[in-house]
Structure formats: structure tokens, C-alpha cells
Amino acid sequence: MKPKKITIAIDGFSSTGKSTIAKQLAKQLNYLYVDTGAMYRAVTLYAIQLNYVNQDKLEKDALIKSLDEINLTFKYNEKLSFSEMYLNGKNVEQEIRTIELSKLVSKVSAISEVRKKLVEQQQKMGEDKGVVMDGRDIGTVVFPDAELKLFMTASPEKRATRRYKELLEKGHDVSYADVLENVQQRDYLDSTREDSPLIKADDAIEFDNSDMGLKEQFERIYQLVLIKRNG
Ligand code: DC
């Protein structure tokens, strides 16, 4: 008998390695991987381009009015074995990862109308199961009935170190202090916003990977997947 397809929801603070584990699981299981943070980042990029948002302002009503103009798609890049984010047909994978954009994304993702649009799209992408989705509200709002829910944590310093290295490798010009401040700022904003704050779902399994290697983490999580899939 074929194992049943399940939904895997991975939530947690920024830079906790959610996407690394989600990508590994999706590859191993031949499931669809959806990086919902990339979608919030792409909407933020759109808002920046139209000058609706900067460090001092947010033109919420103007952004809400133009939500129908925003078309988000993922396209699989064979070479990178990774689905890249496209905003209105343009590959924005690089632009959405900058520290400048990271400083504005929590503001934009706190808008309920933005969340409603993206959550609907995410639910559609996962309607046939066989999906690994990472974000902040996947186990609580997008797929409250997901068979497996993980909640990832790690100390802010560990996370900032990981993010800092990643950004340097990708050629971004940043300082560690700036990255740490951004990680802490986003933790605060994402978990205190009114609509769908980042909280652990009651039935999510918490993983603190501050001192856990990737291999060990994957093996432990994969065991959980097998139990849920065969159960
Ligand atoms: O996963 P990430 O760091 O790329 O996400 C960027 C931001 O998007 C994050 O700070 C909060 C927001 N986000 C969200 O509100 N809900 C999600 N499901 C995913 C991300």
C-alpha cells in the first residue's frame, strides 16, 4: 500500500533553519515545498517599489487597494533544486532577501488583508496534501489540521550568526550587529501582532536546534514523519 500523503507545517522564529529542514523533507518525500516567508517578502518588495512603505511610513490603504495587482508564483529552478519567487512574472529571489527589505517585512505582514490573500493562496497550494510549508502561522491558521506540526526555535545569537554567514556568502554587505537587531526586532513584531501572531500550536512539536547538527535534526524529524505517514 502506498503511504498516505500528509501535510507538514513548520513554524518558528526567523532564521531557525525552517527552510533548510523543509527543503530536505520535501526532497526526501517528493513533496511540494512552499516558503511562505518569500511570499510576504515579495508583497513587501512590491510595496517598496510603489513607495508605500519605508522605515518611517506605511501606506496601508494604498497597498490594500493594489493587492489585486500582485501576482505571486513559484518556479522550480532545476539547477538550484529550488523554487524561486516570482513577482508579476519577474524573478525576485535576490531582491527579497536583503536586510533592508527584512526590516520592513514585519510591518507589511501584519496587515490582515495581505495575510488573507496569501493564506488563501497557500491553502490552495496545499489542498492535495503532500506539502511541506514553512512560515509563522502554518500550524495555527493555514493548516490547523496538518498531520505533523513542528515549531523551531534557537537562541537569537545562534540565529543571527547563521543568517549573517548566509548573507555574506550571498554577497550582501551587512554587519553582525545589524542582523542580530533585525532578528530580535522581527521576533518581537511577529509574535506581538494582532492578526495570526507567531505562536506554537498546541499540538506542535518544539525543536530547539541551538546545539543540534543538521543531520541529527533531520533524522529525528524524519522519524516523526514516518510515524505520521504510516499511522
Ligand atoms: O521566513 P522569513 O524570515 O523569510 O519571513 C519573512 C517575514 O514574513 C517574517 O518576519 C514574518 C512574515 N511571515 C509571516 O508573517 N507569516 C508567514 N507564514 C511567513 C512569514
Side-chain angles (χ1 to χ4, degrees), residues 11 14-15 18 35-38 40-41 97 102 105-106 109-110 115 122 134-138 142 163 186 190 193 196:
D11 291 303
S14 60
S15 309
K18 297 184 299 289
D35 170 2
T36 63
Y40 287 94
R41 286 172 179 273
R97 308 285 170 193
S102 297
V105 64
S106 292
S109 51
R115 304 203 67 80
Q122 291 152 10
D134 80 28
R136 303 293 188 287
D137 60 343
I138 312 304
V142 183
R163 186 62 139 216
R186 280 201 290 145
D190 294 345
R193 70 175 172 229
S196 324

Side-chain angles (χ1 to χ4, degrees), residues 57-210:
K57 70 160 186 187
L58 171 64
E59 286 180 22
K60 195 173 143 179
D61 293 341
L63 177 58
I64 293 170
K65 269 198 198 128
S66 61
L67 282 178
D68 285 344
E69 312 295 318
I70 303 178
N71 181 258
L72 303 178
T73 43
F74 286 102
K75 222 192 226 165
Y76 192 73
N77 180 324
E78 297 275 351
K79 269 196 209 141
L80 301 174
S81 313
F82 171 69
S83 285
E84 296 180 300
M85 187 80 248
Y86 282 70
L87 166 63
N88 292 336
K90 181 175 177 272
N91 183 334
V92 291
E93 199 44 53
Q94 287 292 324
E95 285 165 272
I96 60 171
R97 308 285 170 193
T98 64
I99 185 104
E100 290 74 24
L101 189 140
S102 297
K103 287 181 185 170
L104 300 172
V105 64
S106 292
K107 262 194 203 181
V108 171
S109 51
I111 302 173
S112 294
E113 288 79 358
V114 169
R115 304 203 67 80
K116 186 169 176 280
K117 175 182 165 94
L118 299 196
V119 167
E120 274 172 18
Q121 198 174 338
Q122 291 152 10
Q123 287 173 333
K124 225 178 236 158
M125 286 191 271
E127 68 190 354
D128 297 327
K129 295 188 177 269
V131 65
V132 187
M133 202 170 278
D134 80 28
R136 303 293 188 287
D137 60 343
I138 312 304
T140 50
V141 176
V142 183
F143 293 118
D145 297 328
E147 286 83 354
L148 180 62
K149 298 181 187 176
L150 302 172
F151 191 83
M152 315 294 282
T153 62
S155 70
E157 290 75 17
K158 286 264 166 159
R159 292 188 278 130
T161 305
R162 288 180 195 152
R163 186 62 139 216
Y164 175 60
K165 282 189 189 155
E166 224 174 72
L167 286 167
L168 286 189
E169 275 163 23
K170 289 186 183 156
H172 293 275
D173 180 22
V174 283
S175 73
Y176 171 76
D178 215 9
V179 175
L180 178 62
E181 192 191 319
N182 178 244
V183 160
Q184 288 170 322
Q185 175 81 354
R186 280 201 290 145
D187 284 358
Y188 175 74
L189 292 173
D190 294 345
S191 39
T192 54
R193 70 175 172 229
E194 232 166 81
D195 189 349
S196 324
L198 168 65
I199 40 163
K200 179 181 158 307
D202 289 339
D203 51 351
I205 300 165
E206 187 164 340
F207 255 86
D208 183 331
N209 61 18
S210 300

Side-chain angles (χ1 to χ4, degrees), residues 20-37:
T20 308
I21 196 76
K23 274 184 228 161
Q24 279 180 327
L25 286 175
K27 197 167 176 203
Q28 181 81 20
L29 296 162
N30 204 12
Y31 276 17
L32 175 70
Y33 163 58
V34 181
D35 170 2
T36 63

